[in-house]
Amino acid sequence: MRFENAYKGIGNIITAEVLSIIATVTGVLTAVFGAVAYAAEMEKIKEVLDYTIGGFTILGIITLVLLALSFIINIIGLAKAGKDDSEFVKALVEILIAVVALAAGVYFDGKNDLIKTVCNAILSVVNTIVMMHVVNGIANLADKMFNSKMINKGKTVTILIMVAFGLKALAEIVLKFFFKDPKANINVILSLVSALAQIIQYLFYIGYLGKARKMLRA
């Protein structure tokens, strides 16, 4: 195998992204439980509040654990793949920035909404840039293997990743600045749109990673 490090590293990255998808789903469920708990508290419905608070707490913890595992496995994968192409090294540096943004966002949660919002925005942007560098790294390896199909596929996937990111960002901006009532149905809809766009982004990315593994295994 010509690029064994990249082959192994991309396998780790795929695992990390699958965990990210699961974390996105549990994150949406956490938000739903949180919205129901808030409504129950306002209406003083103790039975519903007790039930939803438990679900909110458990799902929140699961989401954080999945995200942490995803970051760690992603870092391991990028470090391995970086031995075969420098684009993976760039992605590795950027994901470390994302870890800092995530930690800062958790720290300022409930203390400073502005800083938390900025940290979350940085995290989202950096994650998308990481994906693009990984796609570029794979395309570079495809170029060395004279695989024009994978190079062209990489360009298409990059565009799709950017479009999905744009939809996610738009939904979150509207949610943050125009619809602030947690009980409003539009909040749930926009949260689902944002999560769906993120999942689509992950699926495009994972699909390309899977094709890269097949290319490198050949």
Side-chain angles (χ1 to χ4, degrees):
M1 187 179 296
R2 186 176 174 186
F3 299 109
E4 186 174 356
N5 292 314
Y7 176 79
K8 293 178 180 178
I10 289 171
N12 292 135
I13 296 170
I14 291 174
T15 300
E17 295 308 320
V18 170
L19 291 175
S20 290
I21 290 177
I22 299 173
T24 299
V25 174
T26 58
V28 170
L29 292 175
T30 301
V32 171
F33 270 88
V36 174
Y38 178 83
E41 185 178 13
M42 293 297 99
E43 299 297 329
K44 302 189 184 307
I45 307 175
K46 188 177 184 302
E47 294 79 6
V48 175
L49 179 61
D50 291 342
Y51 174 76
T52 51
I53 282 294
F56 174 80
T57 303
I58 293 171
L59 286 170
I61 292 172
I62 291 173
T63 300
L64 289 175
V65 170
L66 289 172
L67 287 173
L69 286 174
S70 176
F71 271 121
I72 292 169
I73 296 172
N74 217 348
I75 288 171
I76 293 171
L78 291 170
K80 290 179 183 176
K83 296 176 181 178
D84 286 334
D85 190 88
S86 62
E87 286 291 315
F88 297 105
V89 177
K90 294 176 184 177
L92 177 59
V93 173
E94 288 155 359
I95 204 169
L96 293 175
I97 296 173
V99 171
V100 174
L102 176 63
V106 172
Y107 176 78
F108 285 104
D109 187 18
K111 298 177 181 178
N112 190 311
D113 287 341
L114 177 59
I115 295 178
K116 182 179 182 296
T117 299
V118 171
C119 288
N120 288 342
I122 291 172
L123 179 63
S124 183
V125 171
V126 171
N127 279 340
T128 299
I129 294 173
V130 166
M131 290 183 187
M132 293 169 66
H133 276 301
V134 170
V135 170
N136 288 340
I138 293 170
N140 288 344
L141 297 178
D143 184 47
K144 294 173 184 176
M145 298 177 72
F146 306 103
N147 190 328
S148 59
K149 184 177 180 180
M150 279 295 289
I151 296 173
N152 293 331
K153 182 70 174 177
K155 295 176 182 177
T156 301
V157 170
T158 297
I159 293 172
L160 292 173
I161 286 173
M162 292 176 66
V163 170
F165 169 76
L167 290 173
K168 178 178 180 294
L170 180 61
E172 291 181 351
I173 289 171
V174 173
L175 183 62
K176 180 68 179 177
F177 296 103
F178 296 96
F179 299 99
K180 298 182 180 181
D181 182 1
K183 294 185 293 182
N185 291 333
I186 188 65
N187 278 9
V188 177
I189 295 172
L190 288 172
S191 294
L192 290 174
V193 169
S194 175
L196 181 60
Q198 186 169 0
I199 290 172
I200 290 172
Q201 186 184 52
Y202 285 142
L203 291 177
F204 285 139
Y205 183 50
I206 291 174
Y208 190 63
L209 291 173
K211 293 180 184 298
R213 288 263 291 176
K214 290 181 180 179
M215 176 188 73
L216 295 172
R217 186 167 56 236

